[in-house]
Amino acid sequence: MKDLFTLQQELQSGALDAQLSALCGAGASAISEKRSRLLALIAAFASAFGAGRTAGLYSSPGRTEMGGNHTDHQHGRVLAGAVDLDMLACAGPNGTSVAHILSAGYPEITIDLSDLTPQPAEEGTSAALVRGIASRFHDMGFEIGGFDVCMDSTVLGGSGLSSSAAYEVLIGLIINNLFCGDRADLVKIAQIGQYAENHFFGKPCGLMDQLASAVGGIVSIDFLDPAEPVVRKVDYDLTSSGYALCIIDSGADHADLTAEYGAPPAEMKSVAACFGAEVLRNVDEAAFWENLAEVRAKTSDRAILRAIHFFMDNKTALQQAEALEQDDFVRFLVLVNRSGNSSATLLQNLYCTSRPLEQAVPLAISVAKHLLGGEGAVRVHGGGFAGTVQAYVPDKDKERFRRGMEAVLGEGCCHFLRIRPVGAAVIA
């Protein structure tokens, strides 16, 4: 931590440009954008909490799921990448037991950390995440105090880029730096964020989102042992492929779909229970097929189809990572489309059955496929049911693709993103 004036001087003089470049690339405009946002946060912190304070600067990125749709909660494999949209924060300890969080565009959040038990009234709120993260660090033996934060975000809320995971990782990074001597590694910070979301926020999420945000780059993750996930960086420069990653906002917000997201893990686990297992990763696939009639009698047709999706996509996610490592992007695109087809027909997470007339995601996928004309790849992105679609678009067709999608879904629906090589980071 440093005093606010020193942080301001270091940003203005370019002394922190190397750190900013690591986050967003060496482009002058990208560095300038980060610098401007951080300077604004320092000014906001000084105005809200006092100019004589010491503080640190922090960043955590959004993430894109590249392979393994709804496989993580079954202890399966995923492929994910951090993206060049992030949350930035200026934060410092305040000597009390209370955390004050000012996030641009939102009311101030105040959390008394003298009580680190779940609060039913906070369920589903950002305050629950902060309290849950602080509670987990406390359970690890750290003394957690109050702190003040000013933050802003370019990670689109309700977009499938996991603004919630970026938030969790950012708060974990701040607490780890301010009170824990940076002793928790990035994987542990991700696990702490998942714990808070599961036990305080009330959402039964897996760990992929938090890990991708925390670690950065493209990562192949195996959750066979969730306590010790195997995280492997995939050395591939997506910009060399001739294709651009595009996240398409279907226009349907997924922020209120916790029940829909909870159904796939619950149904998959009901299949696993038929074999005395908690999750599908611990079920032998051959035994599953051999006993299908018995499983069907005990569960449901949809549960079985979702289990079939898991077995398929768990293998596909690993094959996608291998294709990138072998510099076989054509093969990678084939596998992306395979995963997307499995999500649509087996996992069935493109729209809510309770709202059959609202099918923004299938519509966006259909329009994207039409515009791509057999090139590239398209799939549902993230948890599904609403939210976003992922497409890989030839560089030469980016603007034509953008115009075509915007003609149907509205201006600003297409977000061409880059993979961010660095995950959660203490900037200064």
Side-chain angles (χ1 to χ4, degrees):
M1 290 186 298
K2 301 176 182 178
D3 65 82
L4 297 181
F5 178 75
T6 298
L7 290 175
Q8 183 183 54
Q9 291 295 103
E10 289 183 350
L11 281 167
Q12 291 173 332
S13 69
L16 296 179
D17 281 5
Q19 290 91 319
L20 301 185
S21 176
L23 301 182
C24 56
S29 62
I31 292 174
S32 177
E33 183 267 348
K34 284 280 191 294
R35 183 187 299 116
S36 295
R37 288 171 60 200
L38 288 167
L39 287 170
L41 287 173
I42 291 171
F45 188 95
S47 176
F49 305 119
R53 298 281 298 281
T54 59
L57 302 177
Y58 309 87
S59 170
S60 65
R63 72 94 184 97
T64 182
E65 173 198 286
M66 303 172 75
N69 197 217
H70 280 272
T71 54
D72 58 335
H73 51 66
Q74 298 302 297
H75 299 187
R77 302 182 185 94
V78 300
L79 183 71
V83 298
D84 58 348
L85 300 177
D86 71 348
M87 291 186 176
L88 295 176
C90 177
N94 59 28
T96 75
S97 64
V98 179
H100 303 276
I101 299 175
L102 282 171
S103 185
Y106 296 92
E108 180 178 345
I109 298 172
T110 301
I111 309 103
D112 187 347
L113 300 178
S114 62
D115 184 351
L116 294 177
T117 59
Q119 305 294 307
E122 288 180 351
E123 188 168 303
T125 70
S126 298
L129 295 174
V130 176
R131 194 182 303 276
I133 292 165
S135 174
R136 196 59 163 174
F137 273 110
H138 181 267
D139 291 345
M140 293 164 58
F142 296 109
E143 290 297 323
I144 308 303
F147 56 97
D148 300 323
V149 183
C150 284
M151 66 170 66
D152 79 352
S153 176
T154 57
V155 185
L156 309 168
S159 68
L161 295 171
S162 205
S163 58
S164 59
Y167 184 88
E168 293 158 21
V169 168
L170 185 64
I171 295 297
L173 185 73
I174 290 168
I175 292 176
N176 189 44
N177 181 249
L178 297 184
F179 303 108
C180 311
D182 295 319
R183 279 175 278 180
D185 62 22
L186 293 174
V187 171
K188 178 57 70 175
I189 288 173
Q191 291 172 322
I192 291 168
Q194 182 204 22
Y195 171 85
E197 191 159 351
N198 289 171
H199 298 283
F200 282 70
F201 187 87
K203 182 176 178 180
C205 70
L207 183 57
M208 177 190 68
D209 296 351
Q210 294 87 349
L211 268 179
S213 175
V215 176
I218 299 175
V219 287
S220 176
I221 310 169
D222 189 336
F223 291 108
L224 179 61
D225 179 0
E228 297 291 339
V230 178
V231 182
R232 186 177 87 251
K233 283 249 189 179
V234 176
D235 186 16
Y236 186 80
D237 180 5
L238 191 61
T239 62
S240 70
S241 68
Y243 286 80
L245 169 65
C246 183
I247 302 300
I248 305 159
D249 185 352
S250 71
D253 189 358
H254 71 190
D256 62 346
L257 300 178
T258 297
E260 293 284 354
Y261 294 140
E267 291 177 18
M268 290 181 186
K269 287 181 178 181
S270 74
V271 173
C274 295
F275 298 89
E278 182 181 352
V279 294
L280 286 172
R281 184 65 183 276
N282 296 328
V283 174
D284 179 72
E285 184 179 359
F288 164 79
W289 286 106
E290 290 168 4
N291 295 278
L292 201 56
E294 180 182 345
V295 175
R296 188 182 187 200
K298 292 181 177 179
T299 60
S300 68
D301 290 346
R302 190 173 71 172
I304 290 171
L305 291 171
R306 284 174 163 169
I308 295 170
H309 164 80
F310 169 81
F311 289 123
M312 292 180 59
D313 223 34
N314 188 48
K315 289 178 280 192
T316 300
L318 178 61
Q319 293 165 351
Q320 286 178 262
E322 292 170 346
L324 291 180
E325 289 171 332
Q326 295 162 10
D327 197 20
D328 189 348
F329 201 73
V330 173
R331 170 77 172 152
F332 173 79
L333 293 175
V334 170
L335 294 166
V336 171
N337 281 323
R338 178 187 297 173
S339 175
N341 291 336
S342 180
S343 292
T345 60
L346 299 173
L347 182 59
Q348 301 177 42
N349 68 331
L350 269 58
Y351 66 94
C352 303
T353 56
S354 61
R355 307 180 208 159
L357 299 183
E358 299 175 20
Q359 300 196 25
V361 170
L363 175 61
I365 289 173
S366 297
V367 174
K369 287 183 175 179
H370 170 72
L371 292 170
L372 288 172
E375 293 193 83
V378 186
R379 68 191 288 270
V380 65
H381 182 245
F385 300 107
T388 56
V389 168
Q390 181 187 79
Y392 293 89
V393 182
D395 287 336
K396 61 183 175 59
D397 294 329
K398 283 172 58 177
E399 291 311 310
R400 181 182 64 81
F401 184 84
R402 186 198 303 273
R403 289 193 301 271
M405 294 304 304
E406 289 185 346
V408 178
L409 299 179
E411 186 176 351
C413 68
C414 286
H415 305 278
F416 285 99
L417 305 177
R418 291 176 176 267
I419 297 296
R420 168 167 147 161
V422 175
V426 178
I427 299 170

